[in-house]
Amino acid sequence: MIAPERNERLPVGVCMWGMTYTLGVQGTGTPRRHPAPLGPEAFLDLAASLGLGRAELSAEYVAPDLDAGKLAVFRSRAHDLGLAVTLSGPGLDVEGAPAALRRAFDAAEALGARHIRTTLSKILCGERKLLGGLGGWRAHLRRVADVLREIAPDAERRGLALAIENHQDATSWDLMELCEASGSAAVGVNLDTGNPLAVGEDILSFARRILPRLVNVHLKDYRMFATGSGYRLVRCALGEGLVPFRELFELFRERPAATLSIELAALDNRHIRFLDDDWWEGLGPRDIRDVLPVVRLWRERAETGEYRTPWERGRDAELPGYEMDQMMRSVRYIRELLSPVPVR
């Protein structure tokens, strides 16, 4: 990865899922939804104004009907602003997943996107008991592997890469197993830098394990708050939490084709109950040496006190400023991290 000059476009983007209130995603269908959300063209303008080089978004956000003409117009606007596009596609667990993903491939081609992020499940916080525990999770992975084997040849033919995210459900071992099971180099990993903590994995160990299949990165940071059954992961600007970004960016140099976007965490905290037996029953046995780095982090860095975001406190009027302030601080942090000359 090339370090940017002070006024150059950063080699990272902004992901729509990090600004869910501003974009009208948070509170959809309720009175709490933003009354005047940011539209897709304005989102591009924001990315450009922040000095970023990419926008990651869903095709439905651009054109709910997935009209190829509308997507092509958006692609042209992004190009004029000097922005590349990464597509956030449907999950591998949706009904009719192969057909849904092929529609996403069509949308990616219309948008000029080469990387398509996807997810495995709706599970959060490592709570696999929602799928029937470890046995249910393993059965789910077998179904997903079947979907991947069906659609991967189409992705290869089109020159697209499918990136499976560790969306607080999958371990690094799960992701590498799925990549191998797909039988295709077109299937890789979308690393969310904060989410290894949601399944009790050390962030750097997770990143090293999936590095050979790394396609896309969500740059996310978390603060950790101790609870009686584990810890809460709470959003913050990049560089203000637990994620070791400097070491991660050194790893990313080994995968220069991987794309990166800032994705601030959800407005709802994530409670990881890693002291509960039934939480571990869903994950299965693991070498204690793989868990110790997280235990040390919990012991040494976990905070106490107020952890709730403005959304969780019902202070909706604060949310646009809250999201934008965290985004701007995150951009500044990445610019300072990548710049050989301190930014003033």
Side-chain angles (χ1 to χ4, degrees):
M1 180 169 297
I2 300 174
E5 297 298 330
R6 276 176 203 243
N7 297 319
E8 281 186 351
R9 196 67 64 88
L10 280 173
V12 303
V14 57
C15 178
M16 67 175 292
W17 305 116
M19 302 187 73
T20 53
Y21 185 78
T22 301
L23 273 60
V25 177
Q26 191 81 11
T28 298
T30 77
R32 295 190 69 185
R33 183 177 184 264
H34 194 303
L38 204 65
E41 291 79 13
F43 183 61
L44 288 181
D45 292 339
L46 173 63
S49 71
L50 291 172
L52 303 177
R54 178 172 297 276
E56 181 172 336
L57 39 75
S58 70
E60 290 81 2
Y61 174 57
V62 178
D65 59 358
L66 298 182
D67 180 79
K70 296 175 185 176
L71 297 176
V73 169
F74 185 85
R75 172 184 182 174
S76 178
R77 180 176 176 83
H79 181 269
D80 290 344
L81 290 170
L83 297 169
V85 175
T86 298
L87 183 65
S88 180
L92 291 159
D93 62 329
V94 301
E95 186 176 353
L101 285 159
R102 289 192 175 96
R103 289 192 294 271
F105 294 167
D106 293 339
E109 291 182 328
L111 288 167
R114 310 314 302 166
H115 294 172
I116 303 167
R117 168 261 194 185
T118 187
T119 55
L120 289 173
S121 75
K122 305 297 187 299
I123 289 174
L124 295 171
C125 308
E127 295 283 2
R128 293 182 179 176
K129 59 186 177 183
L130 299 177
L131 279 179
L134 184 59
W137 175 251
R138 298 302 302 172
H140 178 69
L141 291 186
R142 289 192 290 272
R143 291 191 293 270
V144 166
D146 290 340
V147 172
L148 290 171
R149 282 188 287 268
E150 181 176 344
I151 64 170
D154 193 16
E156 286 184 14
R157 179 180 59 80
R158 301 179 190 228
L160 301 173
L162 196 62
I164 310 169
E165 183 177 353
N166 57 315
H167 200 248
Q168 302 202 351
D169 51 1
T171 66
S172 57
W173 296 279
D174 293 329
L175 293 171
M176 292 303 287
E177 179 182 318
L178 281 173
C179 288
E180 292 300 319
S182 74
S184 172
V187 176
V189 174
N190 183 123
L191 171 65
D192 182 300
T193 58
N195 282 350
L197 296 173
V199 290
E201 276 198 70
D202 173 64
I203 293 169
L204 286 175
S205 298
F206 193 111
R208 291 189 189 103
R209 194 167 289 115
I210 59 87
L211 192 64
R213 302 299 288 253
L214 183 64
V215 170
N216 192 47
V217 178
H218 286 168
L219 301 169
K220 179 191 288 180
D221 208 350
Y222 275 125
R223 295 166 65 192
M224 180 185 283
F225 286 77
T227 74
S229 57
Y231 49 83
R232 297 183 190 276
L233 298 175
V234 178
R235 68 179 278 154
C236 61
L238 303 189
E240 298 178 8
L242 303 172
V243 175
F245 286 107
R246 191 170 299 278
E247 292 87 347
L248 284 172
F249 272 84
E250 286 300 315
L251 290 177
F252 297 158
R253 291 178 184 274
E254 300 179 32
R255 298 288 292 178
T259 47
L260 303 90
S261 292
I262 297 168
E263 185 203 27
L264 298 172
L267 291 166
D268 299 283
N269 76 87
R270 305 306 192 197
H271 193 183
I272 315 304
R273 294 176 171 83
F274 90 129
L275 297 179
D276 289 353
D277 289 343
D278 64 348
W279 188 83
W280 280 105
E281 286 172 5
L283 288 164
R286 191 183 298 171
D287 191 318
I288 186 62
R289 290 169 294 185
D290 293 321
V291 183
L292 282 177
V294 180
V295 175
R296 294 189 187 106
L297 199 64
W298 173 67
R299 185 184 65 186
E300 298 167 7
R301 300 282 302 278
E303 306 175 47
T304 58
E306 180 60 76
Y307 61 84
R308 294 173 301 164
T309 68
W311 173 262
E312 292 169 310
R313 286 179 281 169
R315 298 180 179 178
D316 295 5
E318 299 176 12
L319 286 166
Y322 174 81
E323 287 189 328
M324 187 62 68
D325 179 62
Q326 287 193 341
M327 181 58 67
M328 292 180 71
R329 296 208 309 271
S330 297
V331 171
R332 180 176 176 83
Y333 172 76
I334 294 297
R335 188 170 291 280
E336 290 176 343
L337 183 66
L338 297 182
S339 177
V341 180
V343 177
R344 300 188 185 279

